[in-house]
Amino acid sequence: MQEKCTSNKMILSRYLQKMFSGWGLSLKGFLYNNKGEWLLLIQIILLLVLLFPGYPLVELQITVYTISIFIGLAVLLIGILLSLKAALNLGPSFTPLPELKENSEIILDGSYKYFRHPLYRALIIISIGMSIYKLSLLHLVVTMLLSILLKKKAQKEEINLVKKFPEYKNYQLNTPAISSSIKYLDWRK
């Protein structure tokens, strides 16, 4: 039993090592934005701002506040689970940059069957969850800014995906980008 557990840990370790390697991050890249490093940096900053206290601080009755906490946490948890699923679906092709890894493969199943950018969708859902949880206009504004940034990042990725995988063009035409219900987040032609 212990051998099987050790074997599974080794398999998971190798899988995660492949997934998180080959990103090509470097100080020079951050200085010159060679692979979209500035987009990644802004994304990280916006996600960190979500940890700030809410503004304006809202003094509401405990019932409304309690309900917002539970709804916010539920939405946040859904976003986290969706992001984990999307990242695992990408496997070794996963990268935080809009540039593709050299050995990347096109992924059209799992989370990617329904949306072209389910990881970005999940990040927006997480951000919405934090906005509800904190009842904060600041967090709502950060969610909007994050949506704009992730759309720009996704569009940059898609230029590279079409170049590397010609079949991506058909997928692009038939599959919603980040959200099918918000026109701004679905730029199919």
Side-chain angles (χ1 to χ4, degrees):
M1 180 72 169
Q2 191 174 12
E3 288 177 15
K4 184 177 181 181
C5 185
T6 304
S7 174
N8 287 343
K9 284 181 183 177
M10 287 175 49
I11 291 169
L12 179 62
S13 175
R14 274 188 250 132
Y15 182 78
L16 291 175
Q17 196 171 27
K18 276 185 175 179
M19 189 171 159
F20 291 108
S21 65
W23 289 355
L25 293 173
S26 68
L27 180 58
K28 185 178 179 183
F30 275 102
L31 290 175
Y32 298 107
N33 194 31
N34 296 336
K35 297 182 178 180
E37 290 88 348
W38 294 353
L39 293 171
L40 172 62
L41 188 62
I42 294 168
Q43 175 184 336
I44 290 169
I45 290 168
L46 289 173
L47 290 171
L48 288 174
V49 169
L50 290 173
L51 300 175
F52 288 10
Y55 180 83
L57 295 174
V58 179
E59 296 286 331
L60 298 174
Q61 293 180 353
I62 191 72
T63 55
V64 172
Y65 184 67
T66 304
I67 290 170
S68 75
I69 287 175
F70 285 114
I71 292 172
L73 287 175
V75 172
L76 184 66
L77 180 62
I78 290 167
I80 290 170
L81 293 173
L82 289 172
S83 69
L84 289 172
K85 184 177 186 305
L88 289 172
N89 287 153
L90 274 177
S93 295
F94 175 76
T95 176
L97 298 171
E99 292 291 322
L100 304 177
K101 285 182 173 179
E102 264 185 49
N103 59 344
S104 63
E105 297 176 9
I106 188 169
I107 309 295
L108 304 176
D109 56 359
S111 300
Y112 294 81
K113 180 177 180 180
Y114 306 104
F115 295 97
R116 299 193 312 265
H117 303 282
L119 192 51
Y120 295 163
R121 177 184 175 84
L123 288 175
I124 292 169
I125 290 170
I126 289 169
S127 186
I128 290 169
M130 286 298 288
S131 298
I132 295 169
Y133 173 77
K134 296 198 178 220
L135 284 177
S136 168
L137 292 176
L138 169 68
H139 289 75
L140 188 60
V141 170
V142 169
T143 299
M144 289 187 267
L145 292 173
L146 185 63
S147 298
I148 293 166
L149 175 85
L150 293 175
K151 177 181 179 179
K152 180 165 182 51
K153 195 173 169 188
Q155 289 172 324
K156 184 174 173 96
E157 279 177 24
E158 289 188 338
I159 291 168
N160 297 321
L161 284 162
V162 169
K163 285 180 189 172
K164 187 169 183 175
F165 307 105
E167 65 272 27
Y168 189 83
K169 193 70 176 160
N170 188 48
Y171 172 70
Q172 194 178 32
L173 293 172
N174 295 308
T175 309
I178 297 173
S179 171
S180 55
S181 56
I182 301 172
K183 188 161 181 64
Y184 179 76
L185 296 175
D186 185 16
W187 51 91
R188 289 180 284 178
K189 295 173 180 142

